[in-house]
Amino acid sequence: MTEEEKTNGFVDAKDSNMTIRPQRLQEDASETPTVSNPEDIKCGFGSCKPNFLQNFNNPKALLFFLCAFCTVQGFVVNGVNNVNTTSLERRFGLPSSRVGMISSFYDISAAILGLIVSYLGSGKHKARWVAMACLSMACGSFFMALPHFTTGLYQWGQNIGEACRDHAATEVQCAQTDDTSHLQNYLYVFLFGQILHGVGGTTLYIVGVALIDDSVPASSSPMYCGILYAFATLGPALGYIVGGQMLDIYVDYFEVDGIALTPEDPRWVGAWWIGFVVAFVLFLAVSVPLFAYGSELPTAAHVRANRVSQTHNDSLNEKKEELTSHKLRDLPKSFILLMKNPAFLFITLAGTAEGFGTSGVSTFLPKLIQNQFGATAAWASILAGIIAVPGAAGGQFVGGLICKRMNLKVQGMIRLNIIVCFVAMVLDAVVWVRCDLEDIAGVTVHYSDPVSLPNVTSSCNSMCSCTTEYYEPVCSEHNIQYFSPCHAGCQSKVGSGYANCSCVEAFGVSGNMNTSNTVKTGKCSTTCNMLYFFLPVLLVAIFFRFVEAPPSLSITLRCIHDNQRTFALGIQWFVVRLLGTVPGPIFYGAVIDSTCLVWQEKCGDEQTSCWIYDNVALSRNFFLILICFKVFAGIMFLLAYKFYKPPLEKMASATYVVNSNNTNTVDSEDVAVATVNKSFEQSLGDLEMNGFSHERTSEL
């Protein structure tokens, strides 16, 4: 027998005195690698399958199109949607908790449908499932943009005087604006659009990831998944940047010329809808090449033949028929088998905690920057995107690269996650960094008459019938900011400001007697450079938070039986979303609402969105949420490391069993090995006949 034959682990039919165990034992001796019909795995549309399309029938080309899909998906769902949080609150009169529902409904749809999609999508034709998912995403983006084209022009109070007025003027204002309450009903259109986005997203990240894992060796799978998830993170970054630029354009720019508002005005609403229209077109374009792929890639059969099991040891003894069935009636049985796998269970719970914290922060990160540092909505969105590119994308890429370069197995990847989890926990303290809120009369400082704060009404403006429906900040020369000219007690408009302001006079009596009773429009200028410290630390915190993603995904794919991988991803997505990313944005939105100091109130004291927040309470609440769920995730990683049992070493290594009399030693395992050798040789011969090279690949 030649040295090459020994290395590859084949049994020479003429060598009857030696039994050779293969270096890479298949999970089941009875399972022989199969090669699909060559016509079924070709690229093309129907019977049209030209040769030039076969140049794209490989894992790298497939990864390119999946990365394009992931980029557009992240662009619209986690980028544009998050950028538009404040704009949707202003345009449709929604509080943060209800806007958080828009993000959560994506995960509700993904959680519920993920189970069915993952179970039914476990077979072949995965590329076709992904292409249909792309069309679903296109429909979702269409419905998200639809409310802009079915509503009237945005009313920001342009026909209403903000100076001191009597009750009769207030009643006229109510009559003019009362018909805007129906806008809140458009929330349900946004929710339906997010449901369609969820259908497409869950199919992409369950069936699409399984398609990649089916087509490349296990040693390359973390790297491919790392690249895929890096582009998935690049999408939100582009959404933040491009969507942020769109917010500098007035929402009705094509119908209204020359408005008095500027992006710095808190009443400003940008062109939030453009990003959804762009995503609709891109999804249609990406779906075309995905429909061209066949039942599987040509490399899939070769990958199946060479895959080594790293399944949790307790699962190795399960009956084969319990793991290979993909009928709906067997779904509960497969679910129970997964729940018996402690590594899978604890990794899923860790992902749930991470999802809860990450989903809330990603949804409201532009809003956090805008309120804590006084940035405009557009600039806050751009900054969030600039941080997301090197942070999240780089973290996911490095996570996959570490797994590949260090040749980490399941235990090594869990150790990596434990380390980066506790490092990220320390860095989450960055949310304490903030700028102090301006001196706002009745909010952070008292009027001349001391009353409990916040209370923007005082004796100096009590006769003006002021409301908080429209926020038009004005600033006096002693740097006191007022909610509006009406709240400053101003009687008339002069140039770019207001004059005869009774509340400014009251401050002058208690302070400087020479202070004028005029105010200028806009917020008072402040000097705060904490943003330049906040951003780089936040970048590092995001980096370490996302390093965990590729190892966690690879652990999930490696610690379970091959035939349950797609279904396991569906279960994991269901749990992570149901307990993590679904309640996350809603919970964060409610926490943000709880720190509100001044609400926008419509006629009849109807509260809609918030104008001014308590910065200190906002930082404290964000920190407590992040730290609690990060500690929980760290504990889950530790439990996964403790209870994971790798396969027995003898089942993954090559040993040569030769007795002292040079006779063959046969036991039950040798019988299985001989069967694998025979079927393996036959299958490799079939592979070579179909143009595949016989090449061993290293395993994690």
Side-chain angles (χ1 to χ4, degrees):
M1 178 174 293
T2 65
E3 187 65 27
E4 179 181 0
E5 290 171 326
K6 293 181 180 180
T7 302
N8 288 330
F10 294 114
V11 177
D12 193 334
K14 298 179 180 180
D15 191 355
S16 61
N17 295 324
M18 182 177 294
T19 298
I20 301 177
R21 298 179 183 177
Q23 284 183 317
R24 293 173 175 82
L25 184 64
Q26 289 189 8
E27 293 183 2
D28 193 317
S30 63
E31 182 181 356
T32 60
T34 59
V35 181
S36 301
N37 187 336
E39 288 299 317
D40 291 340
I41 62 177
K42 283 186 176 181
C43 271
F45 301 93
S47 58
C48 180
K49 298 179 179 180
N51 291 333
F52 78 91
L53 285 182
Q54 310 318 312
N55 296 326
F56 302 96
N57 201 9
N58 56 75
K60 292 182 179 179
L62 174 65
L63 179 65
F64 173 81
F65 294 120
L66 289 180
C67 286
F69 188 179
C70 284
T71 301
V72 184
Q73 183 270 343
F75 171 84
V76 65
V77 173
N78 298 317
V80 172
N81 183 63
N82 296 342
V83 162
N84 292 334
T85 298
T86 303
S87 298
L88 295 182
E89 289 180 7
R90 295 283 174 265
R91 182 66 180 91
F92 298 95
L94 299 170
S96 295
S97 58
R98 300 193 72 184
V99 172
M101 290 176 59
I102 298 176
S103 296
S104 294
F105 258 69
Y106 170 85
D107 295 300
I108 291 175
S109 172
I112 295 174
L113 296 175
L115 289 175
I116 300 175
V117 168
S118 63
Y119 204 73
L120 298 180
S122 298
K124 295 184 179 180
H125 297 288
K126 290 185 174 70
R128 190 175 302 170
W129 281 82
V130 177
M132 292 298 296
C134 205
L135 291 182
S136 178
M137 295 291 295
C139 294
S141 297
F142 171 81
F143 277 98
M144 294 294 284
L146 187 62
H148 171 74
F149 300 98
T150 56
T151 56
L153 298 179
Y154 171 52
Q155 301 296 323
W156 48 269
Q158 56 267 46
N159 299 320
I160 301 169
E162 285 297 318
C164 187
R165 56 192 182 276
D166 57 21
H167 292 285
T170 304
E171 292 177 359
V172 172
Q173 174 183 338
C174 289
Q176 291 175 340
T177 59
D178 185 58
D179 60 346
T180 61
S181 59
H182 72 282
L183 292 176
Q184 292 189 350
N185 294 328
Y186 278 96
L187 172 68
Y188 303 106
V189 179
F190 292 122
L191 298 183
F192 180 70
Q194 282 292 72
I195 289 175
L196 294 177
H197 279 161
V199 173
T202 190
T203 306
L204 168 63
Y205 286 107
I206 293 176
V207 181
V209 169
L211 176 60
I212 285 291
D213 195 64
D214 287 345
S215 308
V216 298
S219 61
S220 300
S221 181
M223 188 63 183
Y224 272 74
C225 291
I227 295 173
L228 185 70
Y229 275 75
F231 275 88
T233 311
L234 177 63
L238 294 175
Y240 283 128
I241 296 173
V242 176
Q245 294 286 351
M246 297 300 102
L247 294 184
D248 267 338
I249 303 173
Y250 185 65
V251 60
D252 298 316
Y253 73 93
F254 57 91
E255 296 184 54
V256 178
D257 294 327
I259 62 170
L261 292 182
T262 63
E264 289 76 20
D265 195 298
R267 296 168 293 176
W268 174 272
V269 173
W272 57 269
W273 52 273
I274 296 180
F276 293 117
V277 174
V278 172
F280 168 72
V281 175
L282 293 178
F283 279 128
L284 292 180
V286 174
S287 67
V288 175
L290 290 175
F291 272 113
Y293 281 94
S295 60
E296 64 180 10
L297 261 64
T299 57
H302 184 58
V303 169
R304 285 196 300 270
N306 289 274
R307 191 177 297 278
V308 155
S309 171
Q310 295 184 55
T311 308
H312 176 71
N313 194 36
D314 289 348
S315 302
L316 293 177
N317 297 325
E318 301 289 352
K319 294 181 180 179
K320 181 68 177 178
E321 56 269 19
E322 292 180 328
L323 296 170
T324 58
S325 175
H326 296 297
K327 298 179 180 179
L328 284 177
R329 66 172 180 267
D330 295 324
L331 189 148
K333 183 186 298 183
S334 296
F335 177 79
I336 293 174
L337 291 175
L338 287 175
M339 291 301 101
K340 290 180 179 180
N341 189 324
F344 171 79
L345 179 62
F346 291 125
I347 289 296
T348 300
L349 292 177
T352 300
E354 295 286 3
F356 191 100
T358 303
S359 63
V361 172
S362 62
T363 300
F364 294 105
L365 179 58
K367 187 180 182 71
L368 181 69
I369 296 176
Q370 180 181 355
N371 286 280
Q372 298 294 74
F373 302 98
T376 65
W379 183 233
S381 301
I382 293 172
L383 290 177
I386 292 173
I387 295 302
V389 172
Q396 299 211 52
F397 178 79
V398 170
L401 184 64
I402 292 175
C403 293
K404 179 176 177 61
R405 290 295 178 88
M406 298 183 66
N407 198 27
L408 296 180
K409 294 187 178 181
V410 170
Q411 288 178 313
M413 289 186 284
I414 298 177
R415 285 195 296 266
L416 173 64
N417 278 2
I418 293 173
I419 295 172
V420 298
C421 180
F422 284 98
V423 172
M425 185 192 310
V426 175
L427 294 171
D428 282 341
V430 69
V431 296
W432 280 106
V433 179
R434 66 185 183 280
C435 291
D436 293 331
L437 194 62
E438 303 94 341
D439 290 336
I440 305 175
V443 179
T444 58
V445 296
H446 292 278
Y447 285 95
S448 57
D449 48 339
V451 294
S452 60
L453 298 178
N455 188 352
V456 293
T457 303
S458 176
S459 59
C460 62
N461 60 27
S462 59
M463 300 302 294
C464 294
S465 301
C466 302
T467 70
T468 59
E469 182 171 358
Y470 299 107
Y471 183 20
E472 185 183 353
V474 293
C475 182
S476 66
E477 65 179 32
H478 48 67
N479 221 36
I480 297 296
Q481 184 174 305
Y482 298 86
F483 188 83
S484 71
C486 180
H487 290 87
C490 301
Q491 301 296 324
S492 59
K493 183 175 178 62
V494 178
S496 60
Y498 292 84
N500 301 322
C501 304
S502 57
C503 292
V504 175
E505 292 178 348
F507 268 104
V509 171
S510 60
N512 184 2
M513 295 297 296
N514 296 322
T515 300
S516 94
N517 60 354
T518 61
V519 295
K520 60 181 181 180
T521 58
K523 294 183 178 181
C524 296
S525 59
T526 58
T527 302
C528 177
N529 298 320
M530 296 305 295
L531 179 62
Y532 302 105
F533 174 77
F534 173 80
L535 292 177
V537 179
L538 179 64
L539 185 150
V540 179
I542 293 175
F543 175 86
F544 279 97
R545 181 175 285 271
F546 279 86
V547 167
E548 303 171 9
S552 296
L553 177 62
S554 189
I555 292 168
T556 300
L557 294 172
R558 300 282 83 81
C559 74
I560 55 178
H561 194 282
D562 270 5
N563 290 311
Q564 284 195 304
R565 283 179 299 137
T566 307
F567 181 55
L569 289 176
I571 292 292
Q572 192 172 73
W573 271 58
F574 177 79
V575 175
V576 168
R577 277 151 180 73
L578 187 65
L579 302 179
T581 55
V582 168
I586 298 175
F587 184 79
Y588 270 83
V591 167
I592 292 174
D593 286 340
S594 69
T595 65
C596 183
L597 296 176
V598 181
W599 285 93
Q600 181 186 31
E601 293 183 351
K602 298 286 187 178
C603 297
D605 296 331
E606 176 191 358
Q607 291 185 346
T608 55
S609 59
C610 182
W611 289 120
I612 303 174
Y613 294 92
D614 184 346
N615 288 12
V616 176
L618 199 60
S619 294
R620 180 196 64 222
N621 294 346
F622 263 69
F623 175 75
L624 291 176
I625 298 171
L626 288 173
I627 204 71
C628 288
F629 283 92
K630 204 65 179 177
V631 169
F632 180 83
I635 294 174
M636 292 301 103
F637 283 132
L638 287 171
L639 292 175
Y641 182 78
K642 176 177 177 59
F643 290 101
Y644 169 72
K645 297 179 181 179
L648 297 177
E649 189 69 24
K650 67 178 181 179
M651 301 187 70
S653 61
T655 58
Y656 298 92
V657 182
V658 183
N659 61 15
S660 58
N661 295 324
N662 200 29
T663 58
N664 198 15
T665 302
V666 180
D667 54 18
S668 59
E669 182 179 352
D670 293 330
V671 174
V673 169
T675 305
V676 171
N677 282 333
K678 182 177 180 181
S679 61
F680 209 161
E681 288 179 326
Q682 293 173 349
S683 300
L684 287 170
D686 294 336
L687 287 168
E688 291 173 340
M689 290 178 64
N690 285 278
F692 297 106
S693 63
H694 172 207
E695 178 182 358
R696 294 283 188 174
T697 57
S698 61
E699 302 288 349
L700 286 177

